[in-house]
Amino acid sequence: DGGITQSPKYLFRKEGQNVTLSCEQNLNHDAMYWYRQDPGQGLRLIYYSQIVNDFQKGDIAEGYSVSREKKESFPLTVTSAQKNPTAFYLCARSVGGSSYNEQFFGPGTRLTVL
Amino acid sequence: GQQVMQIPQYQHVQEGEDFTTYCNSSTTLSNIQWYKQRPGGHPVFLIQLVKSGEVKKQKRLTFQFGEAKKNSSLHITATQTTDVGTYFCAASFGNEKLTFGTGTRLTIIP
C-alpha cells in the first residue's frame, strides 16, 4: 500500500465526537498529505506537511486538524465542527514536497458518522 | 480556486473497444499526473507529463499533454477487464499542491 499504513479501515463515530485517523509511513519521506474523497468525486486536499512540525491548509481544512511531530506520522483529527464528516479519507506521501513528485497513497479509512 | 475539468464522468465500453478520458484547464499547467483507482482501492500513480505536446506510452495506454499545457488525455486501446476503475488526472498550477479532477469511471462489458 505505497509504504503508508492507515488505520482503521472502517470507523464509525457518533455525531459530535472528535475522531483521529492514523497515518504512518516507513520510507523516510518528507511530504505527507490528507485527502478526502466523496462518492463520485475527486480527491480534495485537506492538509499537507512538507517537514516535521510544519503543515499547511489545503482546500477544505475547516473542521479538521493535523500534527506532524514525527516524520513518519501525520494523524488527522476530524472535529465536531466538520459539518459532513462521512467520507473516505486517504493519506499520501511523496519523496519531496514538490508537485512534480508522484504521490503514494495508503489504503484509506472509511469514516461513517452516525 | 483553480480547477481541472475531467470528462466524461462515466464510460461503459465493450471489452476490446478503446477508451479516452480528458482533462481540461483554463489556466496553463506546470505538470499533470494520472492515477488509477480500482473499485474499493486507493489511487495508484500511472505517469507524469511535464513538457508541452508530450506523449508517453505504457503498453496499451497513451498519455498526451496539450501544446498549450492546458489539457491532457489518457487513451486506452483495446480495453480489458483489468482496466476497470476510475482514472484521475491531477494537475499543478505552479505551486506544491496537486488538484485532482473528478475522475472518469470506466466499466467494461465482457
Side-chain angles (χ1 to χ4, degrees):
Chain A
D1 290 321
I4 288 246
T5 302
Q6 288 188 249
S7 61
K9 190 170 184 178
Y10 298 94
L11 189 57
F12 297 87
R13 279 295 182 268
K14 291 184 178 179
E15 193 172 349
Q17 290 181 333
N18 290 357
V19 58
T20 297
L21 310 184
S22 167
C23 178
E24 304 278 330
Q25 57 116 345
N26 59 4
L27 294 172
N28 202 37
H29 284 181
D30 289 315
M32 297 184 76
Y33 309 81
W34 273 106
Y35 292 91
R36 169 183 172 136
Q37 186 175 32
D38 294 285
Q41 307 255 344
L43 282 68
R44 292 184 290 169
L45 183 64
I46 304 172
Y47 269 99
Y48 62 105
S49 169
Q50 295 177 305
I51 56 172
V52 174
N53 292 322
D54 189 38
F55 47 82
Q56 286 77 42
K57 292 182 179 179
D59 300 317
I60 56 165
E62 185 175 351
Y64 300 97
S65 65
V66 293
S67 63
R68 187 88 186 273
E69 297 176 0
K70 300 183 295 183
K71 194 172 190 177
E72 60 268 27
S73 179
F74 190 40
L76 173 74
T77 297
V78 185
T79 75
S80 56
Q82 168 51 232
K83 300 298 181 189
N84 186 18
T86 295
F88 186 40
Y89 290 89
L90 288 156
C91 182
R93 61 169 179 85
S94 65
V95 173
S98 164
S99 66
Y100 290 90
N101 297 124
E102 64 181 275
Q103 295 189 7
F104 299 88
F105 287 84
T109 293
R110 294 190 184 275
L111 173 65
T112 301
V113 176
L114 307 170
Chain B
Q2 291 157 321
Q3 294 181 328
V4 283
M5 302 301 295
Q6 190 171 356
I7 56 170
Q9 189 174 3
Y10 302 95
Q11 186 80 54
H12 312 282
V13 300
Q14 290 276 354
E15 187 175 5
E17 291 183 341
D18 293 355
F19 159 78
T20 306
T21 175
Y22 302 89
C23 271
N24 299 294
S25 168
S26 58
T27 309
T28 302
L29 305 172
S30 298
N31 57 296
I32 194 161
Q33 298 178 3
W34 285 91
Y35 292 79
K36 176 183 179 180
Q37 184 176 24
R38 293 183 184 274
H42 57 275
V44 175
F45 175 82
L46 294 176
I47 211 156
Q48 175 169 253
L49 304 170
V50 179
K51 299 176 182 177
S52 168
E54 189 169 15
V55 178
K56 288 188 177 181
K57 294 189 176 184
Q58 289 179 350
K59 297 183 180 178
R60 294 178 294 104
L61 278 61
T62 302
F63 304 84
Q64 293 189 342
F65 203 7
E67 293 289 341
K69 297 184 70 173
K70 291 184 177 181
N71 56 74
S72 180
S73 64
L74 158 60
H75 179 81
I76 303 178
T77 302
T79 54
Q80 300 174 0
T81 55
T82 53
D83 295 325
V84 165
T86 301
Y87 292 85
F88 293 98
C89 61
S92 171
F93 293 91
N95 55 30
E96 66 274 14
K97 299 187 297 181
L98 285 175
T99 299
F100 281 78
T102 51
T104 297
R105 181 181 294 181
L106 173 63
T107 56
I108 307 288
I109 306 165

